[in-house]
């Protein structure tokens, strides 16, 4: 009986660990995008969930990391240019300061495609930081309500199913090992 209780505890811990790993790794499928120009590294986060959808308003949030620590978003003329796949400009304007080290912009991508996004920053007061130009490719997926499931949700589902399958396989193997071990110890 003590062996069975120990087996259940081990299995429970393994199931929790595998489920946690599945949730953790499936959320990493679409991570933040970061690029560097000189001393400036900029992380782009797209709300919601770093998975921009066509036809829906998105929040583009830029987080800055200046190696010289001289940058503040309030001291930056930060201009965003969004380019369509055909090369035409669909937006050009300033990103609004949303914190000491961040800017944001609301934007609606019209169709699913890969858009070019360029963020350029020049200091409002000379010499406060080095000017920079950062470029991103933003992969916009169709709106799932209008076009069915998108690639990210399918990939997340597959990863979750693989994690559950691996968890169950480990439980079965541990159970087999525990039963085999208890039967050999009784002999």
């Amino acid at each position: 009986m003590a062996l069975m209780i120990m087996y259940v505890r081990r299995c429970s811990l393994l199931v929790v660990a595998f489920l946690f790993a599945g949730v953790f790794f499936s959320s990493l499928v679409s991570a933040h995008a970061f690029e560097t120009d000189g001393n400036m590294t900029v992380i782009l986060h797209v709300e919601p969930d770093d998975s921009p959808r066509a036809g829906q308003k998105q929040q583009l949030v830029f987080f800055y990391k200046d190696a010289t620590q001289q940058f503040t978003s309030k001291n930056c003329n930060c201009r965003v240019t969004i380019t369509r796949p055909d090369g035409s400009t669909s937006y050009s304007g300033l990103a609004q300061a949303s914190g000491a080290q961040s800017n944001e912009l609301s934007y609606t991508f019209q169709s699913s495609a890969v858009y070019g996004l360029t963020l350029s920053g020049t200091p409002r007061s000379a010499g406060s930081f080095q000017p920079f130009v950062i470029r991103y490719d933003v992969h916009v997926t169709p709106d799932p309500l209008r076009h069915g499931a998108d690639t990210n949700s399918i990939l997340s589902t597959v990863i979750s199913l693989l994690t559950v399958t691996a968890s169950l396989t480990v439980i079965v193997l541990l159970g087999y090992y525990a039963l085999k071990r208890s039967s050999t110890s009784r002999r």
Side-chain angles (χ1 to χ4, degrees):
M1 186 66 167
L3 182 63
M4 189 57 103
I5 292 173
M6 188 176 3
Y7 168 72
V8 169
R9 285 183 184 165
R10 282 185 185 168
C11 289
S12 299
L13 287 174
L14 283 172
V15 167
V16 169
F18 275 106
L19 290 176
F20 175 77
V23 168
F24 177 75
F25 288 117
S26 66
S27 67
L28 291 180
V29 169
S30 55
H32 293 83
F34 70 93
E35 296 291 336
T36 301
D37 180 23
N39 294 325
M40 185 66 68
T41 298
V42 182
I43 298 171
L44 170 62
H45 171 66
V46 181
E47 287 286 340
D49 305 321
D50 288 315
S51 183
R53 308 249 190 251
Q56 295 181 7
K57 184 181 258 188
Q58 312 292 311
Q59 279 301 113
L60 307 174
V61 184
F62 304 94
F63 297 100
Y64 302 96
K65 176 67 175 149
D66 180 11
T68 65
Q69 298 183 354
Q70 296 177 353
F71 177 87
T72 64
S73 58
K74 291 179 180 160
N75 189 32
C76 180
N77 286 318
C78 292
R79 177 167 288 285
V80 176
T81 303
I82 299 174
T83 310
R84 292 185 187 98
D86 66 5
S88 64
T89 300
S90 68
Y91 176 83
S92 183
L94 294 175
Q96 301 299 315
S98 59
Q101 301 295 318
S102 62
N103 287 72
E104 63 183 58
L105 168 73
S106 292
Y107 184 76
T108 302
F109 295 97
Q110 295 305 313
S111 61
S112 62
V114 179
Y115 288 77
L117 189 147
T118 303
L119 172 68
S120 59
T122 56
R124 292 178 196 250
S125 33
S128 58
F129 64 89
Q130 288 183 343
F132 60 90
V133 177
I134 304 282
R135 289 180 180 81
Y136 301 94
D137 285 332
V138 179
H139 298 266
V140 178
T141 59
D143 181 352
L145 298 177
R146 290 188 280 177
H147 297 89
D150 69 328
T151 306
N152 284 336
S153 66
I154 292 170
L155 191 55
S156 293
T157 302
V158 168
I159 289 173
S160 297
L161 288 173
L162 287 174
T163 302
V164 169
T165 302
S167 299
L168 292 174
T169 302
V170 168
I171 290 170
V172 168
L173 289 174
L174 284 174
Y176 173 76
Y177 176 72
L179 290 174
K180 185 177 175 183
R181 189 170 175 184
S182 69
S183 68
T184 56
S185 66
R186 289 183 184 169
R187 292 180 187 176

